[in-house]
Amino acid sequence: MDDKDFLHFISQVKQKTGIDLSLYKEAQMKRRLTSLREKRGYRTFDDYFKAMVKDSSLFDEFLDRMTINVSEFFRNPNRWEALEKKILPRLFKENKKLKVWSAACSTGEEPYSLVMLLTRFLPLSEIRIKATDLDTNVMNKAKQGVYIERALQDVPKDLVSKYFTKQDMMYHVTPEIKQRVAFEKQNLLADTFDSGYDLIVCRNVMIYFTEEAKSALYQKFSDALRPGGVLFVGSTEQIFQPQKYSFEAEDTFFYKKV
């Protein structure tokens, strides 16, 4: 009963939202959603789905749980250093203006980190970054640009003083940084991508997908990059056969389209 109930839930969610939960690792996803369903007091996934259709706050919570939003500015600082010292200088040699996309941007730390880093190379007025996520809730938080102190622990000190204001216990990203990011809703697995990117950053998202879904996504990212463009992935997301997707490793967790 339990399996049938969950499979029916997956097909109902796909019909309503276009989100295909079967592309996520099943055991992980099922465990997470079962605990959420039980916490809200529903005996079956069928009952839970009916309740979600009626109550948008339940639906938002479901999306939130499904997309796991853990983020910090300049997460894994040594990788951001490699981006600043090695990857970006080469990209700027090839193109004076970069087309940059933060895919699965969560609550905004990543695209704002990218804007701040790019100010080392360009005037703010010349920086524009696209940031996408499946979850409109987290993107609304991203647009507000308000963070706890812990999220800033890896931000270089000069950037903290320049691009954040502290109010009470919270840190606010300055409006001029926020204005450089265009947020859009997007389903990475289902939607088509724009092309000609110099840099795509997609970190700590692919770990939730099946091998087949990951493989399809790597190919879509490769197609979206110009030759010489770079995909920057998370620290648990090494691509084991990069050549299969026309990539070569340029540095740890940086893959260059060949």
Side-chain angles (χ1 to χ4, degrees):
M1 164 63 196
D2 194 28
D3 273 354
K4 230 171 163 175
D5 181 41
F6 187 63
L7 289 173
H8 184 52
F9 177 74
I10 284 177
S11 84
Q12 287 177 305
V13 167
K14 187 174 180 184
Q15 247 177 332
K16 178 172 162 58
T17 65
I19 297 165
D20 189 350
L21 292 178
S22 69
L23 297 173
Y24 291 76
K25 290 177 181 168
E26 188 184 355
Q28 223 177 1
M29 183 57 70
K30 191 173 179 183
R31 196 168 55 241
R32 197 176 299 142
L33 294 178
T34 301
S35 87
L36 186 61
R37 185 200 80 204
E38 287 170 351
K39 190 170 129 191
R40 292 288 161 253
Y42 297 99
R43 205 172 56 79
T44 65
F45 276 107
D46 197 45
D47 293 341
Y48 180 46
F49 183 78
K50 284 176 186 150
M52 280 194 332
V53 171
K54 288 191 191 122
D55 181 349
S56 63
S57 69
L58 272 180
F59 185 67
D60 288 344
E61 182 186 46
F62 152 74
L63 265 186
D64 233 18
R65 180 60 59 95
M66 206 200 84
T67 49
I68 309 296
N69 298 298
V70 181
S71 198
E72 288 144 21
F73 289 90
F74 294 91
R75 188 174 181 179
N76 311 113
N78 62 343
R79 295 298 82 215
W80 285 86
E81 197 175 333
L83 179 61
E84 180 182 359
K85 301 282 194 295
K86 179 176 178 179
I87 308 297
L88 285 173
R90 176 183 67 76
L91 290 176
F92 274 116
K93 257 189 203 140
E94 293 167 15
N95 267 340
K96 286 288 160 268
K97 245 183 153 169
L98 300 188
K99 187 172 179 181
V100 181
W101 172 24
S102 167
C105 65
S106 186
T107 41
E109 290 90 334
E110 181 179 278
Y112 292 141
S113 296
L114 281 165
V115 174
M116 290 178 212
L117 189 61
L118 286 169
T119 63
R120 306 254 198 240
F121 298 85
L122 289 172
L124 251 179
S125 60
E126 288 177 29
I127 298 168
R128 193 80 179 134
I129 283 174
K130 178 163 116 171
T132 62
D133 204 279
L134 181 62
D135 185 344
T136 39
N137 258 7
V138 298
M139 278 200 297
N140 287 336
K141 283 184 198 161
K143 287 174 191 173
Q144 286 163 11
V146 179
Y147 301 94
I148 56 172
E149 188 167 4
R150 194 177 60 80
L152 276 70
Q153 63 192 9
D154 293 319
V155 182
K157 293 289 169 276
D158 64 313
L159 297 181
V160 175
S161 58
K162 204 167 176 187
Y163 295 124
F164 291 89
T165 54
K166 190 177 180 187
Q167 293 173 28
D168 301 322
M169 300 301 290
M170 305 300 280
Y171 285 79
H172 295 241
V173 176
T174 59
E176 66 256 40
I177 291 289
K178 291 201 287 189
Q179 283 157 11
R180 307 328 302 165
V181 181
F183 290 99
E184 280 173 41
K185 184 173 179 173
Q186 185 179 49
N187 180 335
L188 288 178
L189 297 172
D191 295 342
T192 54
F193 296 170
D194 197 1
S195 61
Y197 285 103
D198 297 279
L199 175 64
I200 298 174
V201 183
C202 186
R203 307 179 75 217
N204 312 303
V205 178
M206 277 156 318
I207 44 173
Y208 302 111
F209 297 148
T210 63
E211 289 309 311
E212 294 76 9
K214 258 189 241 185
S215 183
L217 197 48
Y218 290 143
Q219 191 55 59
K220 283 174 82 173
F221 282 140
S222 176
D223 294 342
L225 285 161
R226 66 164 179 84
V230 171
L231 174 65
F232 177 18
V233 300
S235 53
T236 53
E237 298 174 322
Q238 210 153 357
I239 304 176
F240 290 110
Q241 289 176 289
Q243 64 287 354
K244 191 176 154 189
Y245 311 102
S246 307
F247 283 131
E248 64 180 29
E250 183 166 10
D251 204 314
T252 315
F253 310 119
F254 291 94
Y255 295 92
K256 176 172 144 183
K257 164 102 170 262
V258 289

